[in-house]
Amino acid sequence: MPKHIFVTGGVVSSLGKGLTSAAIGLILEQRGYKVSIQKLDPYINVDPGTMSPYQHGEVYVTDDGAETDLDLGHYERFTHAKFSQASNFTTGKIYSSVIMKERRGDYLGRTVQVIPHITDALKEAVHQGASEEGVDVAISEIGGTVGDIESLPFLEAIRQFALEREPEDVMFVHVTLLPYLKASGELKTKPTQQSVGKLREIGIQPHVLVCRTEQPMTEEMGQKISLFCNVRPESVIEERDVAHTIYEVPVDLVNAGLDKIICKHFGLPDEEETNLDSWKAMIAELIETEEEVEIAVVGKYIQLHDAYKSIYEALSHGGFANGCKVKLRKVSAEDVLDEGTSILEGVSGLLIPGGFGERGLEGKIAAIRWARESGVPFFGICLGMQCAVIEYARNVLELEGAHTIEHSPDTPHPVIALMAEQEEVDEKGGTMRLGAYDCDLVDGSKTRALYGEEHISERHRHRYEFNNEYLERFEESEMNLVGFNPARGLVEIVELPEHPFFIGVQFHPEFKSRPLAAHPIFSGFVGAALVHSRGGSRVAEESMA
Ligand code: GLN
């Protein structure tokens, strides 16, 4: 039976509960335990797949095709846990399963209620999240903020869950905020006291308080929080804003003694130190390195950092792999059209992420043309790859008006077309081509060299695809088609061999990149950008040869 950690959040949202949960997972893994991590989200959408990236940030996709919360990206970047449909539940998903059972008559005529039926379904969701063979510690993060109306059933469910187990098998970690008042120059504890008060009203006494703060927390303040919140003083943990990178969080938590507190609570041996040497080395290198490479990300949701979270993280991993820092120039695709490609001048690489909708599409295409013609390294992901195909079709193959039928159903040259199985689809949620699919790489291609493997598997989230009616036209051209899905012959990767670095992929490699193991295309891309920044495209070309 696994031990369980429930992570709740207090005072405000966006405290970094996801990062804290991921960091706890990493710490336990480094101590040799197998962990699982899941997110329970109190909102009513069945999953975030249909939500705007502006509302919710990126949609993270698992191998089995679940469209999930972006916190799963943190979990996967920090740990080796397995993620699936059971890793993310929402109120919508829980209620639809209960209502389906009611319609089937499974409740035998009884009144169906929040307690026990919804709470039972939530407890079952916690079980499912921890059901993988051999899990020692299962972490469940509860989205939202304690005190929200919609999170009540979730808190009630985890209270019941704990009641049904031994006290040493369940731990409650509450992540809270100590706001800093500049005028009086002090941190305030009252919001934390009130938030813990709310939890205790429901019947949950947190064992650990992780206090997010901009300023150092004094020992006296820790004592005060301990007294008012009924939490042991050593379990009031400071989690200060990191100075350089989010990957410092686990190191800080271990320095604050959280690893020992968890082990003690669960009765797990804790003689040894948690070994985070490789993480510390990576952070030290990042702090030391002076070389910086600037990369433009041209997208539609540029104002919200979370909208392209995994892409930004994967770029930073590419930086770690190449011993440089990556500086982002976030450019709104519409601005490329309005102001021209001069707003891209000076960058050493261009990345176009995935996306939906027509806004900004022509700006992306113009940016790609600029990168192709000026020899600036280019990396296109999903819609970014589709735009690269359109740009090449229009400007090199002279297929006038070439387009994707997503935005131009009557185009004379639909180089990007709807996938056959999508024709019948009319519901939006969970109906794209989702999750992991195999891809065979063409021998002699740059992508094949980067991966060092012939057969790969990558995650997808799209409805449209390279139109194989144009296969021959492209094969006769300089744009090589170098990755194919073996089952269906779908084109998954395009590249320009004569360009210093020009790769477009239909899948989302950013989901599989890790800080200590950058995704090969990301490290190749940042490497090419670095070469470009040092001496221009001719040198880059030689280095890739
Ligand atoms: N809108 C495009 C499609 O559905 C691209 C999707 C994406 O970039 N994730 O095919």
Side-chain angles (χ1 to χ4, degrees), residues 324-476:
C324 67
K325 289 192 173 76
V326 173
K327 182 176 171 197
L328 299 169
R329 190 185 297 181
K330 299 177 185 177
V331 179
S332 165
E334 285 167 301
D335 291 349
V336 179
L337 261 202
D338 296 346
E339 293 169 38
T341 51
S342 60
I343 57 170
L344 299 171
E345 285 307 333
V347 300
S348 302
L350 167 71
L351 188 149
I352 310 268
F356 298 83
E358 203 169 0
R359 183 167 67 81
L361 202 80
E362 292 301 330
K364 292 175 190 172
I365 292 171
I368 294 170
R369 179 175 196 169
W370 168 84
R372 181 176 58 76
E373 290 178 346
S374 57
V376 171
F378 164 77
F379 185 11
I381 293 177
C382 207
L383 182 63
M385 173 261 201
Q386 297 176 357
C387 287
V389 168
I390 296 167
E391 190 279 319
Y392 197 79
R394 285 183 191 171
N395 300 322
V396 180
L397 302 184
E398 295 176 346
L399 301 173
E400 209 182 311
H403 219 307
T404 163
I405 65 160
E406 181 175 9
H407 305 303
S408 175
D410 303 321
T411 167
H413 293 294
V415 285
I416 303 295
L418 192 65
M419 283 180 283
E421 79 270 19
Q422 288 286 329
E423 273 159 26
E424 306 299 313
V425 171
D426 41 35
E427 278 201 13
K428 288 268 185 290
T431 55
M432 282 186 250
R433 180 176 181 235
L434 289 167
Y437 286 92
D438 291 338
C439 177
D440 292 345
L441 303 176
V442 171
D443 225 8
S445 64
K446 278 184 189 175
T447 312
R448 167 90 169 76
L450 287 172
Y451 275 92
E453 296 174 61
E454 194 183 338
H455 306 289
I456 57 163
S457 166
E458 293 280 3
R459 297 180 201 164
H460 295 246
R461 182 170 185 257
H462 60 121
R463 293 186 204 283
Y464 297 85
E465 251 294 338
F466 181 91
N467 183 349
N468 277 351
E469 284 181 20
Y470 288 86
L471 207 65
E472 253 172 59
R473 299 292 286 270
F474 276 80
E475 269 168 354
E476 288 160 6

